[in-house]
């Protein structure tokens, strides 16, 4: 810790926005232009508008945000009784972010928003996230508060809070976790006692509140989960409260300072630039939002979007790892190629000639670009759910989104963490040294598999709540998409190497789900026993679908003739790499998930260890 | 970084030496007692002596070393122009370590050693390593220097240095890496110019020198790789030099301060308690050791033992992760078991009831205990190589050791890192918080896959140098062991679930190696393309052998009747878990390693990325 000194900020991988790939996925793969023009309320997102926003966003992220990533890690946040100070430059960058109008992109014009599609904001958020995840969490955390207000606030509540949050003048948080309850919110104890004036007195301590206190905005609006005095026990007795740091004042100004304070900051593995707060509510004034005791239900209405926000973190770290590693692999000279010198004029070959270095680079590339496709696919569904007037279309998108979200959250973050580690490995011993930024990327990424529902929790959600509780219907919604794709391309000779294994896996997916479902009817533990392997298995098949589809687009462009031959060939080659070297992992997960619960459940608790 | 304050040292997982398991592997699985009695020079290691040493070692590690692990992480080392200060308590613990006679355990009595077997020192080292890896590196790094002196020193050199190193009064290092060369030592530039007095003037800068400068011992003996003025280029022009921090003085005292200085400390992801030094040799006085230009060959003589020292780090982090996680999983209450409440008197069930938590705990347990078996198996081979007078036995052990060492180094560290991450995951969000120590375990473990030859380098060594260059003979040496084991137990009904898949895999191992060998004759890149998957595949099969053998021992004890039924049942159950849930990973590695080099080599370098 004391080994670091601020003076040595230097070599963090320099984020360059992968605009070409972003456009490939949005325009060529997923047809975003037509998608926007077909959706009521999204038609203003013309190609020109989108282009301008993406280019401006890219500049802002590269020039303003990316330079903060390492500073944030080195300095961290500073606690004092008066509040939390963010790292040098964070506040100023936020000012520019607000002035640039970035926070309001996808919000309703009624509250000062620009009324553009959520998916466009999600693309900009990906850039911000990759440039500096820790910084991007400050505006990112407002999302939950805004969604809650939007869905459940009274007109007065919306008037008092929404515009300020939309503009970025204020930020927001979601206060769920307490020391004794994380995954299990039914245990939470924070109390809300009704007062004569209709407000509530909030008492309790929340932990792990990201961006819970900081100096970047003048006010912070906390949405707090708490219990009314007469609330039933468990998850059915939780209500939501608005607890602003400063109560709204008269004349659009700030009122009284509320009794919510940051007690301390957590010392954590990474994302040092973001303040992870213990928040003490010492009789703070709160306002009920939504119906009493229905807090958890209210939150589920936007849980998918919030979880996609964390899924995005996996994409961000994979992209950053790839960018750092590819540059290093081209420059670092070490050993000769086994098939003869490739740079005979140099003392050794650049390490990109070595097959194992390429294996790691291609793994990062396959995850970054594959997960981008998965993420933008989900973002399109979000648009449809938010804007479509066609009930059937809306329902279908909602089902697909419900299915794909836990996969995106857990699979993208697990593979993002893997990619971050490959990034370190390409650097060899230098990867372990702070100045290159690759180890920070590992530390920053590790949290993504934990918060917003661990990988285990996402897996239970996928297999238990989504797939099995729908009798497999939610799975079928997606396998049907894959099936149609395979049928449509089954006679394509170029795509055969992808379509055949994909079709086989798609079928196996349904069959193996059925087997687990049957086993689960005998023994409920089978669901938990299979869940994580099932999720990863599903994730690899999802990505296989997107890689096959990207190969289809690329093959089409190559056949038609293109000036960007290298770009499209790389797509085809990465797809091939994915199918040959990554997709075999489904074999391991399949065997494990079908092996049953006994090997996990048979051991007596006392026998796990002796003497400790 | 600044988020940490020394005042908050508290909850690092408390190391408890797994003495019962250590004894199980040594005595019941590998027959160490008979092994010692059959080897010349090891017979003094009677069961009583061994027992006393293990028990004393356990106490020392638990009471003196383990409490330093978190302090070391928080404080790190401090550089000044006068030298490096280690974290609070490190120096005092080293004094006790030396006074206790621990450094000299396995060294020859001629140099003040206790003449006990190397394998016994390796067991004690495992305890030290698990208690605090960063601390244990200070004495650990002396090993290379001592081995070099022992194997290649003149009688005068041995007299001047060996006793001081053996007693621990001095420590040693190996100075290999330079900024532009890590894996590729042929590129190294440090110069050694002969002087009139027979000494050499050493000029150059070495980096990543662990324990390269510190305040724990009065002198540090560096073994430095450098080039003579007329040396051939590449690896065939490297010589070894002894460069002590203080030149040996008259009357057993310290002489003049030599011109070797620590220029700075690296800021790194973990192992903060160990000083990773940039060492400047500014015309330092050095003494040639071993024949000129044969430095690399000289080093290979003890490379196996040094790499096993790093393999051990994987075992250490897996064990520590398991110990932290099992305690937390028994205490942390969260959610009810899906099959009905298990602790109805409590607000929720301890998370050890959940199948996915058990999956992670059992994965850590399977790696910690399985890797311990692999490590002690290798340690036995080290004893035979060092002591056996039977040439055939010695040669066989040497071959097995050459084969198993890269597997142990890479597989144990990769799975150790995985286990460390499961340890974090069991803690949920709390795992990301420094005070629990689980995230430190991840950071500390990450280096083990990088130094002393990356996973990629170990894999090339295994597949290229060991297996293929021996025409498969080195592999056969081990598959024969497995084959005999399977034959001997093929009629055992209890072991059938292990023996059948093991025999099948053992056969497949040989066949798939043959396929890669054939492909490599056409295209040398096939070796690098298959190497890492081949190594991991091999590692999983090795561990399958050890788990089957542990199951055999456990089944025997259970059949015979035992008061430790839980302990032996857990061995059988963990073996079953390993076969059902971990071993399927061989399917993924097999497919990947047989998929050929094309998917890695076809992409043009320029096409890997656009614009960055």
């Amino acid at each position: 810790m004391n080994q670091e000194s601020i003076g040595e900020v230097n070599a963090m991988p320099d984020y360059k926005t992968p605009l070409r790939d972003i456009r490939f996925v949005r325009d060529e793969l997923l047809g975003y232009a037509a998608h926007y023009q077909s959706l009521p309320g999204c038609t203003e997102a013309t190609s020109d508008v989108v282009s301008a926003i993406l280019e401006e966003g890219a500049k802002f992220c590269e020039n303003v945000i990316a330079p903060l990533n390492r500073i944030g890690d080195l300095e961290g946040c500073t606690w004092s009784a008066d509040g939390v100070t963010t790292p040098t430059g964070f506040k100023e960058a936020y000012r520019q972010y607000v002035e640039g109008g970035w926070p309001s992109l996808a919000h309703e014009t009624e509250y000062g928003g620009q009324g553009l599609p959520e998916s466009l904001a999600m693309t900009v958020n990906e850039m911000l996230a990759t440039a500096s995840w820790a910084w991007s969490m400050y505006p990112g955390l407002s999302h939950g508060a805004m969604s809650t207000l939007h869905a459940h606030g009274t007109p007065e509540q919306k008037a008092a809070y929404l515009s300020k949050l939309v503009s970025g003048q204020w930020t927001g948080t979601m206060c769920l976790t307490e020391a004794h309850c994380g995954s299990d919110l039914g245990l939470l104890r924070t109390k809300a006692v009704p007062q004569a004036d209709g407000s509530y007195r909030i008492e309790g301590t929340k932990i792990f509140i990201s961006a819970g206190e900081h100096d970047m905005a003048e006010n912070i609006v906390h949405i707090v989960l708490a219990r009314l005095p007469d609330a039933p026990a468990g998850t059915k007795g939780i209500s939501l409260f608005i607890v602003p740091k400063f109560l709204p004042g008269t004349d659009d100004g700030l009122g009284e300072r509320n009794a919510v304070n940051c007690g301390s900051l957590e010392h954590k593995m990474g994302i040092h630039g973001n303040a992870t707060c213990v928040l003490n509510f010492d009789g703070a004034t709160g306002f009920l939002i939504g119906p009493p005791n229905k807090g958890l239900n209210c939150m589920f209405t936007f849980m998918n979007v919030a979880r996609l926000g964390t899924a995005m973190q996996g994409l961000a770290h994979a992209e950053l790892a790839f960018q750092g590693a590819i540059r290093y692999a081209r420059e670092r000279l070490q050993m000769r190629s086994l098939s003869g010198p490739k740079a005979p004029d140099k003392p050794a070959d650049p390490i990109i000639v070595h097959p194992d270095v390429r294996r790691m680079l291609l793994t990062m590339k396959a995850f970054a670009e594959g997960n981008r496709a998965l993420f933008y696919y989900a973002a399109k569904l979000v648009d449809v759910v938010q804007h479509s007037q066609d009930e059937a279309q809306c329902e279908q998108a909602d089902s697909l989104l419900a299915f794909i979200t836990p996969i995106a959250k857990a699979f993208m973050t697990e593979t993002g963490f893997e990619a971050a580690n490959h990034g370190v490995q390409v650097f060899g011993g230098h990867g372990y040294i702070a100045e290159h930024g690759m180890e920070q990327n590992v530390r920053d990424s590790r949290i993504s598999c934990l918060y917003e529902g661990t990988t285990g929790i996402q897996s239970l959600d996928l297999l238990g709540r989504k797939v099995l509780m729908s009798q497999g219907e939610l799975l079928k919604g997606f396998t049907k998409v894959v099936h149609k794709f395979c049928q449509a391309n089954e006679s394509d000779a170029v795509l055969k190497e992808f379509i055949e294994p994909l079709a086989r896996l798609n079928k196996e997916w349904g069959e193996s789900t059925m087997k687990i479902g049957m086993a689960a009817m005998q023994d409920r533990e089978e669901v938990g026993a299979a869940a994580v392997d099932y999720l990863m298995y599903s994730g690899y098949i999802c990505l296989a679908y997107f890689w096959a589809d990207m190969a289809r687009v690329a093959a089409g462009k190559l056949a038609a003739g293109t000036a960007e031959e290298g770009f499209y060939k790389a797509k085809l080659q990465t797809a091939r790499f994915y199918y040959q070297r990554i997709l075999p992992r489904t074999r391991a997960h399949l065997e494990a998930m079908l092996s049953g619960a006994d090997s996990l459940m048979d051991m007596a608790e006392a026998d796990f260890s002796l003497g400790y």
Side-chain angles (χ1 to χ4, degrees), chain A residues 392-413:
Chain A
Q393 187 197 25
C394 201
E395 236 172 63
Q396 194 201 13
D398 200 44
S399 293
L400 274 171
L401 190 61
F403 172 75
I404 210 112
T405 297
I407 297 176
K409 177 1 180 129
F411 180 80
M412 287 174 65
T413 57

Side-chain angles (χ1 to χ4, degrees), chain A residues 4 36 58 114 143 151 174 179 231 238 246 285 288 311 314 325 373 414 453 485 560:
Chain A
E4 302 273 358
Y36 286 157
Q114 300 170 55
H143 203 286
M174 296 295 303
I238 296 171
F246 289 95
T285 300
L288 183 69
E414 291 284 344
F485 170 78

Side-chain angles (χ1 to χ4, degrees), chain A residues 11 50 99 117 125 311 445 467 521:
Chain A
V50 169
E99 277 185 13
N125 288 345
S445 75
V467 173
M521 295 205 300

